[in-house]
Amino acid sequence: MGRISRAGIRTDYLQHAGWTTDFLICYADGHKGVRELIQRKQLKKKAYVERLELSRRYWTVTDTEWMVVIVDG
């Protein structure tokens, strides 16, 4: 976590709110992919968007393919 930029993210909030990646995909050729699931209505809340952005930054630093999957519900 120390290697990623926290600019624009309320880190004091995120330190207390845990987050986990929904899916880590290990491809046969050795590269990895991450899929984060989020409900469409959650995208209206800044906290969820900040968590996604922090996750994107983290996985980018690790050279891992990262995507969000938006679901209704």
Side-chain angles (χ1 to χ4, degrees):
M1 291 294 276
R3 299 184 306 170
I4 63 174
S5 169
R6 295 182 183 193
I9 297 175
R10 297 173 292 171
T11 55
D12 57 330
Y13 170 78
L14 292 172
Q15 289 171 352
H16 302 290
W19 118 76
T20 59
T21 294
D22 294 307
F23 294 97
L24 175 60
I25 304 163
C26 299
Y27 293 97
D29 66 1
H31 82 279
K32 293 180 183 176
V34 165
R35 301 298 180 267
E36 304 283 358
L37 301 178
I38 189 162
Q39 293 180 348
R40 187 175 307 280
K41 64 184 177 185
Q42 291 174 319
L43 289 172
K44 295 178 182 176
K45 298 180 182 177
K46 184 176 180 177
Y48 287 101
V49 174
E50 287 175 318
R51 286 184 213 171
L52 288 173
E53 177 58 16
L54 190 60
S55 180
R56 184 195 67 79
R57 292 177 192 184
Y58 174 82
W59 290 111
T60 298
V61 168
T62 66
D63 198 30
T64 301
E65 173 188 278
W66 181 88
M67 284 187 197
V68 172
V69 178
I70 301 170
V71 296
D72 291 320

